[in-house]
Amino acid sequence: MTTEKLLSPINHFLKCPSPQSWIDEAIKPANLSVILLDHLICELKAAQSAMFLIRRYAVDKESSQALLQWLKPYEDFTYRMQGDWRLLAKHNKLSKSMMPAQNSVYGQDLIDKMVMLIKEELHHFYQVLEMMEYYQVPYENISSSRYAKGMLRHVKTHEPDALIDKLICGAFIEARSCERFAKLAPHVDTKLGDFYMSLLRSEARHFEDYLVLAESIAGNDISARVAVFADVEADLIHSSDSGEFRFHSGAPGSLILPKTRLTNTTAA
Ligand SMILES: [Fe+2]
Ligand SMILES: [Fe+2]
């Protein structure tokens, strides 16, 4: 499939493109490490949120334990800096098949889609580590941007609406990542550009997976909630972001100081 065809539904789903100021900042060689590091953590978070959804809503106790064990070496590496990252490639399988919880109203479809998604995200996590080794970016744990939290703040507190909202947020995060991979690819070297395009191909249907699940759980049209999150997401992407620069940052915050401070700075 051509890049244009892959991107068309993504760009249609998102309410706004990434601001040029974010792209300009992201392609600066000095920001390569922060982009790779934040991207790495985003891949793990994508796996973790899919795992959270099926542990919370769909699988039985033993399956839940197997999921925790699956992700543990990745989390140990990321949060506790334990283990050799090269060995993570061996932890790419679940130790047992997933069984739905007896009282779960969400069936095998949610489980299968999410397990597949976790597997892909963990593979991407490993691939980002390979890129980091190639570009000699040492691993360090960095803070996250306001982006995901800014959306999750609007998730309803009662079920099943909370689950539906979380799935919609997942769809936006996935779609935005794809849009940004495509925006960055032409401006970075061929190795990294090819990697971003391969991720785009692998991730392009993730946002739709989330939407299909959200709709099937809602049992009715979810476009009103999608529209709410489209506005929230577009605002987080377009408005000035005073946080540190990250993969999902908004427009890089301007460093314009108030007039009095400017005078002081000049005087100093
Ligand atoms: Fe991914
Ligand atoms: Fe994804």
Side-chain angles (χ1 to χ4, degrees):
M1 201 189 279
T2 63
T3 309
E4 247 168 65
K5 270 202 175 152
L6 280 174
L7 277 171
S8 167
I10 290 164
N11 291 334
H12 190 253
F13 176 62
L14 296 170
K15 209 173 170 182
C16 69
S18 288
Q20 187 60 42
S21 57
W22 180 87
I23 300 164
D24 293 343
E25 196 64 23
I27 59 178
K28 286 181 183 167
N31 280 329
L32 176 68
S33 12
V34 80
I35 286 287
L36 285 175
L37 278 167
D38 197 37
H39 177 186
L40 177 78
I41 295 168
C42 288
E43 295 290 0
L44 180 62
K45 284 193 177 145
Q48 284 174 317
S49 50
M51 179 185 76
F52 166 83
L53 287 171
I54 49 174
R55 287 189 65 230
R56 166 86 172 73
Y57 294 103
V59 297
D60 70 3
K61 255 195 174 160
E62 284 102 73
S63 305
S64 178
Q65 280 306 317
L67 283 164
L68 281 181
Q69 286 310 311
W70 189 19
L71 263 74
K72 190 171 182 301
Y74 295 86
E75 292 171 334
D76 283 344
F77 175 81
T78 308
Y79 302 122
R80 293 173 273 280
M81 291 181 142
Q82 287 171 0
D84 180 347
W85 68 268
R86 287 170 199 84
L87 299 178
L88 293 175
K90 290 184 181 162
H91 295 281
N92 63 349
K93 275 194 200 90
L94 262 168
S95 57
K96 71 181 284 303
S97 53
M98 295 285 102
M99 302 299 290
Q102 254 179 4
N103 57 351
S104 173
V105 288
Y106 311 111
Q108 201 66 39
D109 192 35
L110 177 99
I111 297 172
D112 293 345
K113 280 216 168 89
M114 291 293 126
V115 167
M116 171 76 87
L117 195 136
I118 295 169
K119 200 172 188 161
E120 288 176 354
E121 306 298 11
L122 293 179
H123 179 57
H124 301 156
F125 180 89
Y126 188 80
Q127 287 180 303
V128 181
L129 283 167
E130 287 180 321
M131 287 291 148
M132 285 169 54
E133 175 162 87
Y134 180 81
Y135 292 103
Q136 298 185 332
V137 175
Y139 175 72
E140 58 178 297
N141 199 346
I142 58 169
S143 61
S144 49
S145 64
R146 65 182 188 180
Y147 179 70
K149 269 179 255 151
M151 267 191 285
L152 292 169
R153 193 173 298 138
H154 298 267
V155 166
K156 287 190 178 162
T157 49
H158 54 274
E159 301 296 353
D161 292 13
L163 173 57
I164 294 158
D165 283 357
K166 283 175 207 161
L167 290 166
I168 294 171
C169 291
F172 277 103
I173 297 169
E174 293 283 348
R176 181 60 64 187
S177 304
C178 285
E179 188 251 358
R180 290 200 158 171
F181 292 140
K183 287 275 162 65
L184 292 181
H187 302 288
V188 293
D189 70 29
T190 317
K191 186 174 174 77
L192 192 57
D194 287 350
F195 176 52
Y196 285 152
M197 293 313 288
S198 77
L199 284 180
L200 171 64
R201 274 186 287 280
S202 162
E203 306 257 9
R205 44 145 252 286
H206 285 180
F207 88 95
E208 281 162 342
D209 284 349
Y210 274 114
L211 288 179
V212 167
L213 282 172
E215 193 139 58
S216 75
I217 287 161
N220 52 39
D221 181 46
I222 56 166
S223 53
R225 286 308 282 167
V226 171
V228 167
F229 284 101
D231 282 339
V232 171
E233 201 268 349
D235 187 55
L236 288 162
I237 285 302
H238 245 260
S239 62
S240 173
D241 190 340
S242 57
E244 289 189 60
F245 187 72
R246 297 287 184 261
F247 187 80
H248 286 117
S249 289
S254 68
L255 294 171
I256 300 166
L257 299 167
K259 246 190 174 167
T260 45
R261 296 261 321 265
L262 267 183
T263 316
N264 288 342
T265 313
T266 316

